[in-house]
Structure formats: C-alpha cells, structure tokens
Amino acid sequence: MAYYRQVGEVPQKRHTQFRDARDPGGRLYYEELMGEEGFSSDSSLLYHRGVPSAISSAELWELPDQARTPNHPLKPRHLRLHDLTTGADAVTDRRLVLGNADVRISYVTTGGPESATPLYRNAIGDECVYVESGSGTVETVFGVLAYRAGDYVVIPRATTHRWVPAEPSRLYAIEANSHIAPPKRYLSRYGQLLEHAPFCERDLHGPGAVQLDDSGDTDVEVLVKHRVGGQVVGTRYTYATHPFDVVGWDGCLYPYTFNIDDYMPITGKIHQPPPVHQVFEGHNFVICNFLPRKVDYHPLAVPVPYYHSNVDSDEVMFYVAGDYEARKGSGIGLGSISLHPGGHAHGPQPQAIEASLGAEYFEESAVMVDTFAPLDLGEGGRAVEDPEYAWSWARALD
Ligand SMILES: [Fe+2]
C-alpha cells in the first residue's frame, strides 16, 4: 500500500549512521529493509536495537490439520461457522475451512486476554483477518493496532506480530499466498485512492507508536508459517533478543486496519454487480463486502440479485450481520458461509424475488471472497457442513 508513514525515531538520511543517544558509547541501531518484490515495490525501513537475524534455534512447528478435500461431487455448500469449536489461540488454533493454492480461509474463536498468542509471522503471504466480533490489539514490530468488530486487520507477509484479545473474538482469517491491497482500479498510477473509490486513506489505520519490549527477554520464540513445495508448514525459531526492539520506522509497507463501517457502498438505479462492493484483491482472488445500503431506485427494479454463473470463480459469502434478503428460507444465517462454485448457477431463493420488489434498503452485511481457482474444503469446513443446502432451491419449489 503506497501510503507513506513514519513512526518513532528515524535518521534524516536512510542508510546512514543512526546511534542510540541513551548509550554513552553511541551504539549503532541495526537497519532492516522490509520490502516486497525484491527491492522493486513497497517497503519500509526499520531500526532495531538488536540484530533482526539473530536466531539460536529452528525446530518444527506442527500446524493444525491443513488437509484439503476437493469439492467433488461439485456442490454448493453451506458451512455453519458458529458451530465450529476451536481452541482459544488466535493463530495456532485456527481451523481450515476452505482453501486452494492461492488463499486459505480459517476460523477461530479466541479466548480473552489470557489467550494472547505467541509471536508469529506468515512467510507465505499477507493476511487479512476479518473481526466478526470482539476487540483487542495486535502487537507488531511496527507498533500496536487496536482492533474491533467489523475490522479487516491487514498484516503484510513476514510481519512479526501477536494477537492480544481483550475479550473473546471471532476471527475469519483470509491468508493469501500473495499480497493483499486495494483494487488497482481505485488507485492513481502513483497509488493514491481515487475519488470513485468507496474508501480513502483516512479510513486506514496504521500503528501510531512503536512498541518497545524492555523486558530484557532472551530466547524468544517466533512461529513462522511457510511453504515446502506446495505444503503449508511451520518452523519455530528462537531469537536471541526480543523482536519488538524497533525504535522507529518509515515507509509504505506496514499493517493496518480498515472497518467496514467506513466503506461507502456504491448503489445504482438497477442492481449493481459484486465488483462495486470490492475492498481488496490478492493474486487470483478478491474480497468484497455487502453492507447496509439503499437499493435500486428504478420503478421496476428487482433489488435481489439475478441468478448468476460465475464461470471463472468460486464465491464464498460469510454472513456477518443483518438479514440476507436473497437467501431467506435456505438455512443460511449469521455465521454461515455459502460456497457457490464455478460450474453451478446460483441466486436468490425463488420467493425472495417477488418479496424484494419495492424494497428501499437492505440491512445486510456479508464478506465475500471470490477465488479464480476452485476451492477445496478444509477439515473445519467439513465439520460444520449443512448437508441439505445443495437442494435448497429445489425444495423451495415444492
Ligand atoms: Fe453470487
């Protein structure tokens, strides 16, 4: 995200001597460039008190079950995430719901403050964690982010961080194998969010201050998620000193939050297609949100969607608030996911079409992930599947 930010102390010129003024010997800080696409895209420079590469051990970290089961026979699926029991840790207790080679969706209900996670970083890609409920903070090497319900917490690849819930929190974790950013069509050629974008830089909240750990801790564990071949695996590093030792940083690469209340839906005289509701994109997938909004104002408008075959994508809707008018009677409720795969036409319950005529406002909130390659089911998804969902449209005709 090309939006410059500076936090804490940084030297006047990059790559020059920068010394600790509190140290009589004037010890040098250790400069680290954290950058995307080699040295050719967004980056930040961080100034550490300790050496950021000083590990003293590397061991296997056994991840929860990452196995994926193909959607075969091909069916639309309904998964009830509120029925999914998980451990309390925001990272290590995530259960895989859906996934493919580009993106994985997991879900966890954390505990309270006692469940603060170990230090963690995802070396596979960016994470976009939607906070369905709860609040707390995410401590990172860039500083602290506060989170609350409705936030997307966007954490760049390889950012060392940990979740500290203030209360139990339902987290919907979208883990990419790539970077996650606002759609290119909303950005100027230099990266500013344009006037037609449904949000702007004021809505993105990065860390406001650095977080220095002065505990003097040594031998600090950091869990690293990474890839071996096509497999998602983990390694447990031990660092000689605490990674939260950054006195300052600047640049355009850092974690941030964005709340869906700050998304201004684009509406129209007739039904607007899902791309107007897009908020982020990664490689081979997009993230959209359907939010409370005025609906179509043509006198003959049909407010609910038409049936659609997204021939190139699998569509995942996560229903997070309000009533989802189009799917009344299908079993879909709050906390549900629907997976509508490419190769199957989907749309409203038949009776919802007439019922929607004349509606002026939809009170619904859903987060959608569209993938451009088929999604498999994770073990968590299979555990809470409603087996009758695939027949819900036919049953509505009985
Ligand atoms: Fe759809």
Side-chain angles (χ1 to χ4, degrees):
M1 186 186 57
Y3 177 36
Y4 177 80
R5 195 171 181 90
Q6 179 185 324
V7 173
E9 303 172 68
V10 300
Q12 190 176 4
K13 293 291 290 179
R14 59 187 175 177
H15 319 320
T16 59
Q17 295 174 29
F18 182 33
R19 295 180 184 277
D20 186 345
R22 303 164 315 153
D23 180 349
R27 202 164 48 94
L28 283 168
Y29 290 125
Y30 300 96
E31 184 183 48
E32 175 198 8
L33 178 100
M34 188 168 163
E36 297 178 346
E37 298 178 20
F39 295 84
S40 307
S41 188
D42 294 349
S43 65
S44 286
L45 287 166
L46 300 92
Y47 296 89
H48 295 266
R49 287 179 177 167
V51 177
S53 47
I55 53 171
S56 57
S57 76
E59 295 166 1
L60 297 184
W61 164 37
E62 200 68 43
L63 292 177
D65 188 353
Q66 299 292 301
R68 304 195 320 246
T69 304
N71 183 9
H72 187 207
L74 186 70
K75 288 199 294 186
R77 310 272 180 168
H78 170 203
L79 316 175
R80 293 190 169 104
L81 295 193
H82 287 182
D83 291 347
L84 193 62
T85 55
T86 70
D89 187 297
V91 171
T92 60
D93 287 323
R94 289 177 188 173
R95 290 183 69 179
L96 185 65
V97 176
L98 295 164
N100 63 20
D102 304 310
V103 63
R104 296 172 308 283
I105 297 172
S106 299
Y107 191 72
V108 63
T109 303
T110 75
E114 76 291 347
S115 70
T117 60
L119 292 173
Y120 161 71
R121 66 169 172 264
N122 186 332
I124 298 175
D126 293 358
E127 293 192 358
C128 174
V129 179
Y130 177 74
V131 180
E132 183 191 358
S133 65
S135 62
T137 57
V138 182
E139 300 174 349
T140 82
V141 288
F142 294 91
V144 182
L145 300 170
Y147 76 80
R148 62 190 169 97
D151 274 349
Y152 295 103
V153 181
V154 180
I155 303 174
R157 183 178 189 164
T159 299
T160 302
H161 67 281
R162 67 179 196 135
W163 287 79
V164 186
E167 59 183 328
S169 304
R170 293 182 186 273
L171 304 178
Y172 182 77
I174 302 164
E175 300 180 12
N177 283 18
S178 59
H179 298 300
I180 295 174
K184 286 191 185 68
R185 68 178 184 281
Y186 288 150
L187 300 173
S188 77
R189 63 189 164 122
Y190 297 115
Q192 184 178 7
L193 284 159
L194 293 167
E195 276 295 307
H196 70 282
F199 56 99
C200 75
E201 284 82 358
R202 295 179 195 181
D203 304 318
L204 311 178
H205 305 288
V210 294
Q211 181 185 26
L212 283 163
D213 184 286
D214 287 320
S215 62
D217 281 356
T218 56
D219 299 327
V220 180
E221 285 192 347
V222 178
L223 303 176
V224 182
K225 189 177 286 182
H226 60 106
R227 270 179 296 187
V228 172
Q231 301 299 309
V232 178
V233 297
T235 292
R236 184 188 306 272
Y237 276 155
T238 303
Y239 277 83
T241 55
H242 202 292
F244 290 173
D245 63 353
V246 173
V247 298
W249 62 270
D250 75 336
C252 294
L253 180 67
Y254 50 86
Y256 61 93
T257 65
F258 170 66
N259 195 279
I260 57 171
D261 283 346
D262 292 325
Y263 189 95
M264 300 293 116
I266 295 168
T267 58
K269 192 167 182 177
I270 55 171
H271 188 79
Q272 296 297 295
V276 305
H277 303 291
Q278 191 180 348
V279 56
F280 295 117
E281 63 191 12
H283 177 67
N284 272 351
F285 74 95
V286 297
I287 302 173
C288 304
N289 39 214
F290 299 86
L291 299 171
R293 62 192 182 280
K294 286 192 169 180
V295 291
D296 325 333
Y297 50 89
H298 187 286
L300 295 177
V302 179
V304 294
Y306 33 81
Y307 294 90
H308 45 289
S309 293
N310 304 332
V311 296
D312 293 322
S313 55
D314 276 19
E315 177 191 298
V316 183
M317 292 279 274
F318 178 37
Y319 304 86
V320 297
D323 292 321
Y324 214 79
E325 301 287 339
R327 303 313 320 279
K328 273 184 181 157
S330 67
I332 298 279
L334 292 182
S336 289
I337 274 185
S338 61
L339 166 64
H340 294 138
H344 172 262
H346 69 274
Q349 298 308 102
Q351 61 273 34
I353 302 170
E354 282 281 359
S356 75
L357 302 182
E360 294 186 350
Y361 197 82
F362 278 173
E363 189 69 49
E364 64 189 24
S365 296
V367 172
M368 184 177 86
V369 176
D370 263 16
T371 66
F372 304 139
L375 282 162
D376 299 330
L377 293 155
E379 65 78 27
R382 282 185 286 127
V384 291
E385 183 175 8
D386 165 11
E388 299 301 314
Y389 176 70
W391 332 123
S392 60
W393 292 273
R395 293 233 163 100
L397 301 175
D398 289 346

